[in-house]
Amino acid sequence: MSTTLITGIGELVTNDPARAEGGGLLGLVHDAAVVVEGSRVAWIGRAVDAPAADVQVDAGGRAVVPGFVDSHSHLVFAGDRSAEFEARMTGEPYTAGGIRTTVAATRAATDEQLTSHVARLVAEMRAQGTTSVEIKSGYGLSVHDEARSLAVARQFTDDTTFLGAHVVPAGTTPEDYVDLVTGPMLAAAAPHARWIDVFCEDGAFDVDQARTILATGSDSGLRGRLHANQLTYGGGVRLACELGLVAVDHCTFLSDDDVSALASSGTIATLLPGVEFSTRQPYPDARRLLDAGVRIALASDCNPGSCFTSSMALCIALAVREMRMSPAEALHAATAMGAAALDRDDVGVLAPGKVADLVLLDAPSHVHLAYRPGVPLVAGVWQSGRPVVAR
């Protein structure tokens, strides 16, 4: 198996805890080099100590960071909701009801149309440095359309999530729909999914319904996730902690009890600042969470309604500016902690034996991701040991 030496790295972010003492939270290595063998990292260190390799690539003094791990996205959909966005920007409040507009368009789309659309968005993400992505269903809300949405998503990632419990579709009652989600829909969706999710929120599903849905999903071999506390205070975050879920997402409105539960349980709070940017809601208080010892991940929540961005770099910049995270904390949350939110230890970190997913920045430091918001800094992307984006 051939080896490639990437040298000329001005600053390398490893996220490797073994390097934390000298390199801080990000395990920084300066004047660094990386050896890639096949799809994995074989060696990391200072360039002067680098071993020989079959091929050598010069990074030109650029900073290199792990590929972003986007642990929350809704990419399987059809249609457009720009009019809804425009209405919000002129004063109308955000509610979950717009999801039904996307459901109608998604049901009307062919498998080929949905696949093409997901492929375009995944390529858009990759060009911006995202090398691992979770993709949810949730815009089908019928047995057939949820199963086919997950089959489409599975073409692009193993981290697929069954979100039949997104909202209650028109023409049914909440009770009947929960029976459908936990019965025939789950049976059809489970072969294509790794996770099961519930939108536990006013206007969607309450805590008892969420508990039932997650329990039946677990019985079918799916691990649980939750959307919770996005629109108002509620019991969703505490439910996630009680059940020992690996992550709970949104976490915008948190009581002191919610924060304590997150800190004591170890459940990761996945924050989605692009949503607050796109809806004008208050941003989550990341500093409060970090100071309490809560683990935080950042993700895009790319979806057609509340946040149609695929840019993890934008999420990092928003987390630093609006949520009081340091640049290092935000990048760590978008890489290593995103991986942890998917219960993965093979990505989000650059160390021997890990997947060689890395991003070259046209910048001397990772700080530029927040320092230069909106600027396309990604000069190259390597995924599973091979270059897939070059600029």
Side-chain angles (χ1 to χ4, degrees), residues 146-372:
E146 284 296 296
R148 76 183 183 115
S149 292
L150 287 163
V152 167
R154 200 57 178 264
Q155 297 176 57
F156 301 93
T157 182
D158 289 335
D159 281 301
T160 52
T161 300
F162 168 44
L163 183 59
H166 205 176
V167 295
V168 177
T172 188
T173 66
E175 294 76 18
D176 287 345
Y177 188 64
V178 169
D179 287 344
L180 181 68
V181 168
T182 56
M185 191 182 289
L186 174 60
H192 308 291
R194 182 185 181 203
W195 303 91
I196 184 168
D197 200 344
V198 181
F199 189 17
C200 184
E201 192 64 69
D202 283 355
F205 298 87
D206 64 27
V207 168
D208 290 339
Q209 291 166 334
R211 187 192 303 276
T212 296
I213 292 165
L214 292 177
T216 55
S218 178
D219 290 343
S220 294
L222 303 185
R223 300 192 60 185
R225 316 183 69 78
L226 268 182
H227 290 57
N229 297 55
Q230 175 189 356
L231 304 178
T232 188
Y233 296 95
V237 165
R238 289 191 297 279
L239 174 64
C241 297
E242 173 198 327
L243 297 177
L245 302 189
V246 66
V248 57
D249 301 3
H250 285 291
C251 301
T252 307
F253 294 91
L254 298 179
S255 67
D256 289 344
D257 287 344
D258 294 328
V259 175
S260 296
L262 286 165
S264 61
S265 69
T267 295
I268 295 167
T270 302
L271 308 184
L272 311 166
V275 173
E276 283 72 41
F277 178 83
S278 300
T279 61
R280 288 182 174 160
Q281 286 184 262
Y283 284 88
D285 190 345
R287 187 79 265 140
R288 175 191 182 198
L289 291 169
L290 288 167
D291 290 348
V294 177
R295 299 192 297 162
I296 289 178
L298 291 175
S300 73
D301 196 10
C302 183
N303 75 82
S306 62
C307 181
F308 198 15
T309 184
S310 56
S311 173
M312 289 291 283
L314 172 63
C315 295
I316 288 170
L318 290 173
V320 171
R321 171 61 182 85
E322 303 293 344
M323 303 194 318
R324 300 189 295 156
M325 297 181 78
S326 72
E329 288 168 340
L331 177 56
H332 191 260
T335 50
M337 293 310 301
L342 295 175
D343 199 23
R344 294 183 60 180
D345 61 7
D346 59 330
V347 294
V349 176
L350 296 177
K354 306 298 184 182
V355 175
D357 288 351
L358 49 88
V359 177
L360 284 69
L361 302 178
D362 262 336
S365 165
H366 71 279
V367 176
H368 284 236
L369 289 165
Y371 177 49
R372 304 200 69 205

